[in-house]
Each structure stands twice: as structure tokens, then as C-alpha cells.
Amino acid sequence: MSDFSKSKPSLFVNIRVLCAVALLTACATVVAYLCKSFTITPYLRVTFENLPLILTGYLFGPWAGLVAGLASDFLNTLVTYGLGQLNLIITLGAGLVGFTAGVVSRWILPGKGAVPLAVSVAAAHIVGNMLVKSVGLMVYFGYPLLLVLPRIPLYICIGAVEFFLLYVLLRNRGVNKMLGAICKS
């Protein structure tokens, strides 16, 4: 994986980065909407909606990941259920998925490669899905802890698949060339 992010692109000053974050936010929203049919139980759902959010945070930093996660969950909830069903804790969890991936890739393990990517994916799922979103399900819907605990092995499996997909994607020369063009000032 090449290091295309030496310029540390900013979400608010680079129109290319802003457009890329908007596209990844839209991808996350559409994937979340389509994955509603893969619901195992009301608190367990097989979905890869976090993949674009993790990619956003990993590539463009924690603030871009936070904005993408918050916007994606808000839009998905609005389209699917309406504003009355908005769970702010779960929306915060979605934002923290992108934010955590960005924090790890920028400040804890800077650089590109398999290890920083794996740690970014794992940390994003632990903080955003296993902790914050699980608390949101328990507080908002009243699910007991024993019903929420199966989210841990589910997100370990989902995280492993997402890591593999992101690793393959980020090793592609064409993708790296495109990312280099996006990050140019």
C-alpha cells in the first residue's frame, strides 16, 4: 500500500476530499438500507455498512470519519423509519466507527499497511459497534445484556471480512492512483 496521505487532507478545505467523503457516506447509507433484510434478530444484523465509514476515517482522518458516520446513520434512519426513530446513542456509535478508525490511522499507528489497517478496523468495531451501539440498544430498546453479547462474535467476523476487503482494495494500484489524485492540494 502506498502512502498517499502525506498531505493530511482536510475535509473542510479540499473539495476532492469532501466529495470522496460524501460518496463514501452515501455508500454506507445505501448498504445499511439494503442490509435491513439480513437481520437475524432485532439486535443482530449482518451488515457491511461500516466498511465505507472505516475507509473514510482511515483515509481522510477522524473528523471526516465522524462526519460520515453521523450523516450516514442519520440519513439511513430518516429514510427507513423517519425522525421519530432516531437513536442518538446508535448515531454516535456510527460516528465513532469512522472517528476511531481515523484516530488509530493518524495518531496511534500512523502509516499504511496491514497492521495499522487491522488495528483501525478492530478498534472501530470495538468502540462503535460492540460498546456504544450495544449500549444504545440496551438503553433505547431495553434489550438485556445477554441478548446484546452475541454482537461481539458477530462483529469479530464482520471485522475480519471488512479488513480483508479493505486490504485488497487498498493494495490496488488503480485505487491508490485515484486516492493520490484526491489528496492532491
Side-chain angles (χ1 to χ4, degrees), residues 21 24 51 71 82 129 167:
V21 170
L24 288 167
L51 193 143
N129 292 311
Y167 183 75

Side-chain angles (χ1 to χ4, degrees), residues 23-80:
L23 285 171
L24 288 167
T25 301
C27 287
T29 305
V30 169
V31 169
Y33 182 78
L34 293 175
C35 286
K36 297 283 187 223
S37 60
F38 297 113
T39 300
I40 301 167
T41 65
Y43 43 88
L44 287 176
R45 183 167 48 115
V46 176
T47 180
F48 294 98
E49 69 192 77
N50 294 306
L51 193 143
L53 303 178
I54 293 169
L55 184 61
T56 302
Y58 183 78
L59 294 176
F60 305 117
W63 302 112
L66 179 70
V67 168
L70 294 174
S72 171
D73 190 74
F74 177 78
L75 290 170
N76 182 46
T77 303
L78 185 65
V79 168
T80 307

